[in-house]
Amino acid sequence: MSTAPVTVAVKEITNDATGAWWWSPAVSRKLTGMLANELKSTGHFTVVERQGLKKVLSEQELADMGITRQSTAPKKGIMTGAKYYVLGSVSDYRENTETKKGGGGLNIMGFGQRKSKSSSSAYVAVDVRVVDTTTGEIAYARTIEGTAKSTSESKSSSGGLYGISFNDSQSSTKKVPASK
């Protein structure tokens, strides 16, 4: 027996963490959208739009003004209400929770090679609460924690003989988006 999907609305995710220099209203909108999309994709939730509600209402206003055809115009007063609000906030953020650096090289008679590698990790915690819109009771609460790791690697070679020298260097960096 399958149960009907639960109707939820995702409120804008906020930032309560100190040191989250990257936080902005755009990041808030993106995280809110990602959470709504993930909930919808499970098939267990009907997600009603709240972030872009003004756009939905403007379509209804077009119908009120007689601009859209009556047969295709959205109807007022039948918008689906949310049984639960999903609230979220970034509660902790720390950079460089773990750093590693290393490297070395070899040089013989003017010819050499050098390698170096470094990595650093960041930590984030997001508090999620599901609130019943009728009673105001918290139906579910959880802190979701995650880490992201950035790595950097470089290699170089050099040498010289009789006034002729060469040098070659390569580097690569891999950064995981904070949203992952």
Side-chain angles (χ1 to χ4, degrees):
M1 180 175 136
S2 67
T3 59
V6 177
T7 305
V8 299
V10 180
K11 294 299 275 182
E12 191 165 314
I13 294 176
T14 60
N15 175 38
D16 296 329
T18 57
W21 55 266
W22 46 267
W23 189 263
S24 70
V27 172
S28 176
R29 285 188 301 275
K30 287 177 186 177
L31 289 176
T32 303
M34 283 188 223
L35 179 55
N37 291 345
E38 288 298 315
L39 289 171
K40 180 64 179 169
S41 72
T42 68
H44 299 293
F45 301 96
T46 297
V47 180
V48 293
E49 181 65 48
R50 293 300 182 258
Q51 196 171 2
L53 190 57
K54 287 182 183 179
K55 293 176 184 175
V56 174
L57 294 175
S58 71
E59 189 66 21
Q60 290 183 357
E61 288 173 7
L62 290 175
D64 284 348
M65 295 186 311
I67 295 174
T68 57
R69 274 185 259 149
Q70 199 74 26
S71 61
T72 60
K75 310 295 183 259
K76 274 192 165 184
I78 57 173
M79 190 174 287
T80 301
K83 169 76 175 135
Y84 296 99
Y85 264 132
V86 179
L87 309 172
S89 66
V90 176
S91 57
D92 196 7
Y93 176 78
R94 297 179 191 180
E95 287 187 350
N96 300 319
T97 55
E98 179 183 4
T99 58
K100 295 180 183 179
K101 292 183 181 184
L106 176 66
N107 191 336
I108 301 175
M109 296 178 62
F111 292 92
Q113 188 172 33
R114 182 155 192 76
K115 292 182 180 182
S116 68
K117 190 173 190 177
S118 67
S119 67
S120 104
S121 296
Y123 165 84
V124 67
V126 178
D127 293 336
V128 176
R129 291 187 323 279
V130 178
V131 180
D132 186 306
T133 59
T134 301
T135 65
E137 295 175 359
I138 297 174
Y140 178 82
R142 181 173 175 202
T143 298
I144 302 166
E145 300 174 296
T147 58
K149 186 175 184 177
S150 296
T151 59
S152 178
E153 197 174 305
S154 67
K155 299 176 185 177
S156 64
S157 302
S158 63
L161 190 60
Y162 301 116
I164 300 173
S165 64
F166 69 90
N167 187 6
D168 179 41
S169 73
Q170 302 171 7
S171 66
S172 66
T173 301
K174 179 181 175 186
K175 292 185 177 186
V176 177
S179 62
K180 299 292 181 190

